[in-house]
Structures are given as C-alpha cells and as structure tokens.
Amino acid sequence: MSKVSVIVAVYNGAQYIPRCLEYLDAQTHRDLDIMFVVDAKTTDGSADLLRELSKDDDRVRIIIQNDTKRQAGARNIGLDNAVGEYVWVCDVDDRPYPTLIEDSIRASEENDAEVVSFNSVFTRNIDHPEPACKGPNAVVLYSGIDAAIALGNGELSPSTWSDVYRMDFLRENFMEYSEGLCEDLDFAARAFLSAERVAYLKRPLYVYYQNAASVCGTGANDDGIAAADVHYAEKLSAIVRERYPERYPEFCAAMGRHVIRSLTRASRERFDELSGSPIIAEMLSHCKGLSPEVILFKVSPGLFHRIGSKARGRKFSRDPLYFRDDF
C-alpha cells in the first residue's frame, strides 16, 4: 500500500508524546512518514524527548517551527515536507485506533476518493475501547459539493484529524491551512469543494480526547472561534456561488445552521454582535420549512443562546459521544 505522511503539531506536548508515538507505532499500515513539527517556543523539552524516544524509528522526523503561525503554520510546514502519497494530521493528545490509516487508504483506493473522512468518539477517557460495528464498516460516498453540504449539516466533521487526503490532490489545488482559528473548517470545506469524491467510513477510528487545556477546551478562544466561523462561512459561500450556483441555496441553509450553532459558544455580548452579521441573514434566508433552531434563533436569540450553550456542554461531558451513531 501507499506511503502515508503523518503530521503532528507540538506545542508543550511532552506529556502526550510517549503515548502518541505508541499509537502511531500500533498502526497496522506500516509505511509511514511521521513528522513532529515542534514550535520553537515550546518550553517543556518536547523536541529532546522526541529525539530520545524515536531514535530507533527511522520513520520519525522532527522539524522545528520557527515562525509565529501557530498550529496552521505547523501543519503547512508538514504539507511542504510530506513525501507520502497520502497525508493525515493527528493531534498529539488524541488516539487513533490501529486500523485508521489502513482502512482510510483502502477506502480511497477502492472508491477513487481524493478525501476519506471517518467517524470518531469524543471522550475524556483516552483509553475508551474501540467500538464494535453494529454492522459492516460501510463506506458512504459523496460528491464534493454534497460533502461540503453534509459538513454544514453536521454529517461530516470539520476537524482536520478526521480526514485523510491524497497528496497529489492537495498540491494540484494549492491547499494550505489559513492562519488563525477554525482553520480546520476552512481547509476541509475547500478540499471537499475541490474533490470529485469524498468517502466516509462509518466506524469510529479516532478518539478525540476532551483535553481541558486544549485550544477548544479552555473556552478562552470561544469568541474568536465563533467569529472565525462567520468569516469562513462568508468566504465558502462565495466559492459555492461561483462554482455551484445551483446548489448555493442548499449550501447556505446547511452552513447557516452550522454557524448559528457555533455562535452559542460565544459570550452573550459577542453573540449579539455576530448574530446580526449580514451573511447570517443571507444564509438563513435559504432555510426552507420549519426548522425549530432557525425559528428560535430569529424569534428569541437570547433563549437560543442559553439553550445552545447548555447543549454544547454535553460535548465535554464525561460520557462518550460519537460524532455519528449510525455505525
């Protein structure tokens, strides 16, 4: 099977590095090019620890990130240095199940898909057992525009660790991560919109560890994340209007619902500012039928914010939460 480049961005991640190396070494697909891109501002000895623990594995490379572009910059450095036919981004504090890469590459090759997305489990228990499939590990195929709409509808994850990409496809489309927050959403949606086929694996292949110290876990970036979602929704809507004008209303309706859900993470003050954005009104104008969340957002924004904030807290509960339950 094909060589796969794995990109792991590291900033003060020393406590997670030993198990991250174990999880990657446990992958049943062995032909890996593993790049740990370590921020030069790291102060916990991550690079030295990596050198020591990986000295006997010639698949591991350590690259020092000297710019100030944070996680997006680290991922772009990985893309620039990737030598595999495929590329996958793994977060240092998460856990891939052993067949993640093997299953993803098989799905890509059997279905001629430029992108493979997969199910995941959100949990505070990093040792959460690998779930048994309720049925065969079915593959669902999407066209590129259908995948982008599915992303807006919450059927596909915007997280970059949930996708494996064909490297030639990324290079042909000049794909790179945008700087700032929510670069995952922007990257995934633009990739979907450039793809002919996106394959989705129903079985959970990844544990998204609910780390209270992460970018999303602390809550310190919630206002910025909500604002970035609004910005990228406007940018992506413009791309769809140009490339797929006949699907523009459907995309707007899906992305509009995604954005108003994202706004519930913001403070009430920032929510009030962002909810009046013209792009939100434009997207929601394409929502047809009786959508309870859209109606509530329009009729009582404050109540929508309170209910949404409480519902969002379930993601960070102690109970495991599967991205999709239909596996």
Side-chain angles (χ1 to χ4, degrees):
M1 295 178 77
S2 304
K3 181 183 286 293
V4 179
S5 289
V6 180
I7 302 169
V8 186
V10 179
Y11 175 74
N12 286 339
Q15 63 178 312
Y16 307 110
I17 284 170
R19 75 184 188 200
C20 181
L21 284 165
E22 290 178 10
Y23 297 148
L24 293 177
D25 189 53
Q27 287 296 303
T28 55
H29 184 95
R30 306 301 298 167
D31 193 2
L32 302 178
D33 160 43
I34 304 171
M35 292 173 285
F36 285 88
V37 184
V38 182
D39 193 313
K41 297 182 292 299
T42 289
T43 59
D44 67 353
S46 290
D48 290 337
L49 180 62
L50 277 164
R51 292 186 187 100
E52 175 61 26
L53 295 181
S54 65
K55 61 186 178 184
D56 296 324
D57 190 343
D58 60 8
R59 300 175 303 169
V60 176
R61 293 189 280 158
I62 302 164
I63 303 172
I64 302 301
Q65 178 187 6
N66 291 303
D67 61 33
T68 58
K69 298 179 180 178
R70 306 181 68 176
Q71 188 166 252
R75 291 169 173 175
N76 286 332
I77 290 171
L79 291 180
D80 290 342
N81 287 274
V83 298
E85 288 89 351
Y86 290 85
V87 65
W88 173 57
V89 173
C90 178
D91 281 358
V92 69
D93 56 346
D94 292 342
R95 176 188 172 198
Y97 288 131
T99 63
L100 183 153
I101 294 176
E102 179 181 353
D103 289 351
S104 297
I105 301 311
R106 181 182 298 112
S108 172
E109 293 179 346
E110 291 181 353
N111 297 282
D112 193 23
E114 298 98 329
V115 186
V116 176
S117 188
F118 46 80
N119 201 356
S120 56
V121 56
F122 295 63
T123 178
R124 291 185 179 181
N125 175 19
I126 195 64
D127 297 315
H128 183 78
E130 189 169 0
C133 272
K134 300 170 186 175
N137 189 15
V139 178
V140 180
L141 294 179
Y142 295 87
S143 68
I145 179 60
D146 284 335
I149 291 170
L151 187 155
N153 283 328
E155 298 166 20
L156 294 179
S157 172
S159 299
T160 203
W161 45 254
S162 66
D163 298 318
V164 174
Y165 297 96
R166 246 180 29 206
M167 199 64 223
D168 62 347
F169 160 74
L170 294 184
R171 287 182 171 137
E172 288 167 4
N173 288 281
F174 306 100
M175 290 292 299
E176 65 177 10
Y177 289 91
S178 302
E179 293 180 43
L181 298 169
C182 288
E183 74 273 16
D184 291 23
L185 169 69
D186 174 58
F187 190 92
R190 286 188 292 114
F192 291 167
L193 291 170
S194 297
E196 291 291 329
R197 277 173 294 281
V198 175
Y200 173 75
L201 293 170
K202 285 189 171 185
R203 184 163 67 88
L205 295 174
Y206 190 88
V207 175
Y208 178 41
Y209 176 53
Q210 299 303 282
N211 180 0
S214 70
V215 170
C216 293
T218 65
N221 296 294
D222 282 352
D223 280 359
I225 291 172
D229 261 348
V230 174
H231 166 73
Y232 286 127
E234 184 168 16
K235 172 183 173 181
L236 295 167
S237 296
I239 294 173
V240 172
R241 180 158 38 194
E242 178 182 345
R243 296 185 190 175
Y244 303 96
E246 72 285 357
R247 305 295 299 276
Y248 175 74
E250 188 180 359
F251 176 83
C252 281
M255 191 55 66
R257 288 189 291 268
H258 167 83
V259 170
I260 63 172
R261 293 184 201 117
S262 177
L263 290 184
T264 61
R265 72 170 66 244
S267 64
R268 178 59 196 274
E269 181 180 6
R270 191 66 172 129
F271 171 86
D272 289 342
E273 293 174 5
L274 293 169
S275 61
S277 301
I279 186 58
I280 293 180
E282 161 65 12
M283 289 188 296
L284 295 185
S285 71
H286 296 283
C287 292
K288 306 302 180 185
L290 299 176
S291 169
E293 62 184 339
V294 174
I295 292 173
L296 181 59
F297 177 81
K298 291 180 176 180
V299 172
S300 181
L303 180 59
F304 177 86
H305 182 263
R306 288 197 298 274
I307 293 173
S309 297
K310 290 182 180 179
R312 181 169 290 278
R314 181 176 174 237
K315 174 182 171 183
F316 294 94
S317 72
R318 294 197 175 276
D319 299 323
L321 177 66
Y322 293 102
F323 185 78
R324 278 173 57 168
D325 291 324
D326 60 341
F327 61 91

Short mmCIF file of all heavy atoms in Angstrom, two decimals, residues 19-20 22-24 26-27 88 90-91 93-101 118 126 130 205-208:
data_model
loop_
_atom_site.label_atom_id
_atom_site.label_comp_id
_atom_site.label_asym_id
_atom_site.label_seq_id
_atom_site.Cartn_x
_atom_site.Cartn_y
_atom_site.Cartn_z
N ARG A 19 2.71 8.39 24.48
CA ARG A 19 1.58 7.60 24.02
C ARG A 19 1.24 7.90 22.56
O ARG A 19 0.77 7.00 21.84
CB ARG A 19 0.37 7.80 24.93
CG ARG A 19 -0.37 9.10 24.77
CD ARG A 19 -1.49 9.22 25.78
NE ARG A 19 -2.31 10.40 25.52
CZ ARG A 19 -3.10 10.96 26.44
NH1 ARG A 19 -3.15 10.46 27.67
NH2 ARG A 19 -3.84 12.01 26.13
N CYS A 20 1.49 9.13 22.09
CA CYS A 20 1.26 9.43 20.67
C CYS A 20 2.16 8.54 19.80
O CYS A 20 1.71 7.98 18.80
CB CYS A 20 1.54 10.91 20.40
SG CYS A 20 1.25 11.41 18.68
N GLU A 22 3.35 5.66 20.64
CA GLU A 22 2.83 4.28 20.76
C GLU A 22 1.64 4.07 19.83
O GLU A 22 1.54 3.03 19.16
CB GLU A 22 2.41 4.01 22.21
CG GLU A 22 3.57 3.90 23.19
CD GLU A 22 3.08 3.70 24.61
OE1 GLU A 22 1.86 3.46 24.79
OE2 GLU A 22 3.89 3.78 25.54
N TYR A 23 0.73 5.03 19.80
CA TYR A 23 -0.46 4.89 18.96
C TYR A 23 -0.07 4.83 17.48
O TYR A 23 -0.65 4.07 16.70
CB TYR A 23 -1.43 6.05 19.19
CG TYR A 23 -1.99 6.12 20.59
CD1 TYR A 23 -2.30 7.37 21.16
CD2 TYR A 23 -2.20 4.99 21.36
CE1 TYR A 23 -2.82 7.46 22.44
CE2 TYR A 23 -2.71 5.08 22.65
CZ TYR A 23 -3.02 6.32 23.18
OH TYR A 23 -3.52 6.41 24.44
N LEU A 24 0.88 5.67 17.07
CA LEU A 24 1.29 5.67 15.67
C LEU A 24 2.05 4.40 15.33
O LEU A 24 1.90 3.84 14.23
CB LEU A 24 2.14 6.91 15.37
CG LEU A 24 1.39 8.24 15.46
CD1 LEU A 24 2.34 9.41 15.22
CD2 LEU A 24 0.23 8.29 14.47
N ALA A 26 1.46 1.59 16.57
CA ALA A 26 0.48 0.50 16.55
C ALA A 26 -0.34 0.45 15.27
O ALA A 26 -1.13 -0.48 15.07
CB ALA A 26 -0.46 0.63 17.75
N GLN A 27 -0.17 1.44 14.39
CA GLN A 27 -0.94 1.44 13.14
C GLN A 27 -0.60 0.21 12.31
O GLN A 27 0.57 -0.13 12.13
CB GLN A 27 -0.65 2.70 12.34
CG GLN A 27 -1.26 3.97 12.91
CD GLN A 27 -2.79 3.93 12.90
OE1 GLN A 27 -3.41 3.74 11.86
NE2 GLN A 27 -3.38 4.11 14.06
N TRP A 88 -2.08 12.72 6.53
CA TRP A 88 -3.06 12.77 7.61
C TRP A 88 -2.49 13.58 8.76
O TRP A 88 -1.30 13.45 9.08
CB TRP A 88 -3.42 11.36 8.08
CG TRP A 88 -4.30 11.33 9.30
CD1 TRP A 88 -5.53 11.92 9.44
CD2 TRP A 88 -4.02 10.70 10.55
NE1 TRP A 88 -6.04 11.70 10.70
CE2 TRP A 88 -5.12 10.95 11.40
CE3 TRP A 88 -2.94 9.95 11.03
CZ2 TRP A 88 -5.17 10.48 12.71
CZ3 TRP A 88 -3.00 9.48 12.33
CH2 TRP A 88 -4.11 9.74 13.15
N CYS A 90 -2.61 14.39 12.76
CA CYS A 90 -3.03 13.81 14.04
C CYS A 90 -2.71 14.80 15.15
O CYS A 90 -1.62 15.38 15.17
CB CYS A 90 -2.28 12.49 14.27
SG CYS A 90 -2.66 11.69 15.86
N ASP A 91 -3.64 15.00 16.07
CA ASP A 91 -3.35 15.84 17.23
C ASP A 91 -2.56 15.04 18.25
O ASP A 91 -2.85 13.86 18.50
CB ASP A 91 -4.64 16.36 17.86
CG ASP A 91 -5.23 17.53 17.10
OD1 ASP A 91 -4.61 17.96 16.10
OD2 ASP A 91 -6.31 18.01 17.49
N ASP A 93 -2.46 14.91 21.42
CA ASP A 93 -3.11 14.43 22.64
C ASP A 93 -4.28 13.49 22.36
O ASP A 93 -4.99 13.10 23.31
CB ASP A 93 -3.58 15.60 23.50
CG ASP A 93 -4.50 16.56 22.75
OD1 ASP A 93 -4.57 16.48 21.51
OD2 ASP A 93 -5.13 17.41 23.42
N ASP A 94 -4.48 13.10 21.12
CA ASP A 94 -5.59 12.21 20.77
C ASP A 94 -5.10 10.78 20.51
O ASP A 94 -3.91 10.49 20.60
CB ASP A 94 -6.33 12.75 19.54
CG ASP A 94 -7.06 14.05 19.83
OD1 ASP A 94 -7.30 14.35 21.02
OD2 ASP A 94 -7.40 14.76 18.87
N ARG A 95 -6.03 9.91 20.16
CA ARG A 95 -5.69 8.49 19.98
C ARG A 95 -6.33 7.93 18.71
O ARG A 95 -7.55 7.79 18.63
CB ARG A 95 -6.18 7.68 21.18
CG ARG A 95 -5.97 6.18 21.04
CD ARG A 95 -6.65 5.45 22.18
NE ARG A 95 -6.65 4.02 21.99
CZ ARG A 95 -7.46 3.17 22.62
NH1 ARG A 95 -8.34 3.64 23.50
NH2 ARG A 95 -7.39 1.88 22.40
N PRO A 96 -5.54 7.59 17.72
CA PRO A 96 -6.08 6.88 16.56
C PRO A 96 -6.17 5.39 16.85
O PRO A 96 -5.26 4.81 17.46
CB PRO A 96 -5.04 7.16 15.47
CG PRO A 96 -3.75 7.33 16.22
CD PRO A 96 -4.11 7.94 17.56
N TYR A 97 -7.25 4.76 16.45
CA TYR A 97 -7.32 3.31 16.57
C TYR A 97 -6.40 2.67 15.53
O TYR A 97 -6.08 3.29 14.51
CB TYR A 97 -8.76 2.84 16.41
CG TYR A 97 -9.66 3.17 17.59
CD1 TYR A 97 -10.90 3.77 17.41
CD2 TYR A 97 -9.25 2.88 18.89
CE1 TYR A 97 -11.72 4.08 18.48
CE2 TYR A 97 -10.07 3.19 19.98
CZ TYR A 97 -11.29 3.78 19.77
OH TYR A 97 -12.10 4.09 20.85
N PRO A 98 -5.95 1.44 15.77
CA PRO A 98 -4.85 0.86 14.96
C PRO A 98 -5.09 0.77 13.45
O PRO A 98 -4.13 0.85 12.68
CB PRO A 98 -4.67 -0.53 15.57
CG PRO A 98 -5.10 -0.37 16.99
CD PRO A 98 -6.26 0.58 16.94
N THR A 99 -6.34 0.61 13.01
CA THR A 99 -6.57 0.42 11.58
C THR A 99 -6.97 1.72 10.87
O THR A 99 -7.37 1.68 9.70
CB THR A 99 -7.67 -0.63 11.33
OG1 THR A 99 -8.91 -0.16 11.87
CG2 THR A 99 -7.30 -1.97 11.96
N LEU A 100 -6.85 2.85 11.55
CA LEU A 100 -7.31 4.12 10.96
C LEU A 100 -6.69 4.36 9.58
O LEU A 100 -7.40 4.60 8.60
CB LEU A 100 -6.99 5.29 11.89
CG LEU A 100 -7.46 6.68 11.46
CD1 LEU A 100 -7.68 7.57 12.69
CD2 LEU A 100 -6.51 7.39 10.51
N ILE A 101 -5.38 4.31 9.49
CA ILE A 101 -4.72 4.63 8.22
C ILE A 101 -4.99 3.54 7.18
O ILE A 101 -5.31 3.83 6.02
CB ILE A 101 -3.22 4.86 8.44
CG1 ILE A 101 -3.01 6.12 9.28
CG2 ILE A 101 -2.49 4.99 7.11
CD1 ILE A 101 -1.57 6.40 9.65
N PHE A 118 -13.80 10.02 8.45
CA PHE A 118 -14.21 8.87 9.28
C PHE A 118 -14.86 9.36 10.57
O PHE A 118 -14.68 10.49 11.00
CB PHE A 118 -13.01 7.97 9.59
CG PHE A 118 -11.77 8.69 10.04
CD1 PHE A 118 -11.64 9.14 11.34
CD2 PHE A 118 -10.74 8.93 9.15
CE1 PHE A 118 -10.50 9.82 11.75
CE2 PHE A 118 -9.59 9.61 9.53
CZ PHE A 118 -9.47 10.06 10.84
N ILE A 126 -9.15 8.57 27.42
CA ILE A 126 -8.29 8.29 26.27
C ILE A 126 -8.22 6.80 25.99
O ILE A 126 -7.90 6.38 24.87
CB ILE A 126 -6.88 8.87 26.51
CG1 ILE A 126 -6.08 8.92 25.21
CG2 ILE A 126 -6.13 8.07 27.57
CD1 ILE A 126 -6.65 9.86 24.17
N GLU A 130 -12.16 0.41 21.61
CA GLU A 130 -12.57 0.55 20.21
C GLU A 130 -13.95 -0.04 20.05
O GLU A 130 -14.18 -1.21 20.37
CB GLU A 130 -11.57 -0.17 19.32
CG GLU A 130 -11.78 0.08 17.84
CD GLU A 130 -10.62 -0.43 17.00
OE1 GLU A 130 -9.66 -0.97 17.57
OE2 GLU A 130 -10.70 -0.28 15.77
N LEU A 205 -12.87 5.67 14.18
CA LEU A 205 -11.46 5.29 14.05
C LEU A 205 -10.54 6.18 14.88
O LEU A 205 -9.31 6.00 14.82
CB LEU A 205 -11.04 5.36 12.57
CG LEU A 205 -11.72 4.37 11.63
CD1 LEU A 205 -11.31 4.65 10.19
CD2 LEU A 205 -11.40 2.94 12.01
N TYR A 206 -11.11 7.09 15.67
CA TYR A 206 -10.28 8.10 16.33
C TYR A 206 -10.94 8.52 17.63
O TYR A 206 -12.15 8.74 17.68
CB TYR A 206 -10.15 9.31 15.40
CG TYR A 206 -9.14 10.36 15.78
CD1 TYR A 206 -7.82 10.28 15.37
CD2 TYR A 206 -9.53 11.49 16.49
CE1 TYR A 206 -6.89 11.28 15.68
CE2 TYR A 206 -8.61 12.49 16.80
CZ TYR A 206 -7.30 12.38 16.39
OH TYR A 206 -6.39 13.36 16.68
N VAL A 207 -10.14 8.66 18.68
CA VAL A 207 -10.60 9.19 19.95
C VAL A 207 -10.17 10.65 20.05
O VAL A 207 -8.97 10.96 20.09
CB VAL A 207 -10.02 8.40 21.15
CG1 VAL A 207 -10.42 9.06 22.47
CG2 VAL A 207 -10.49 6.95 21.12
N TYR A 208 -11.15 11.53 20.06
CA TYR A 208 -10.89 12.96 20.25
C TYR A 208 -10.93 13.20 21.75
O TYR A 208 -12.00 13.29 22.36
CB TYR A 208 -11.91 13.80 19.51
CG TYR A 208 -11.76 15.29 19.68
CD1 TYR A 208 -10.51 15.89 19.69
CD2 TYR A 208 -12.88 16.11 19.83
CE1 TYR A 208 -10.38 17.27 19.85
CE2 TYR A 208 -12.76 17.49 19.99
CZ TYR A 208 -11.50 18.05 20.01
OH TYR A 208 -11.37 19.41 20.17
#
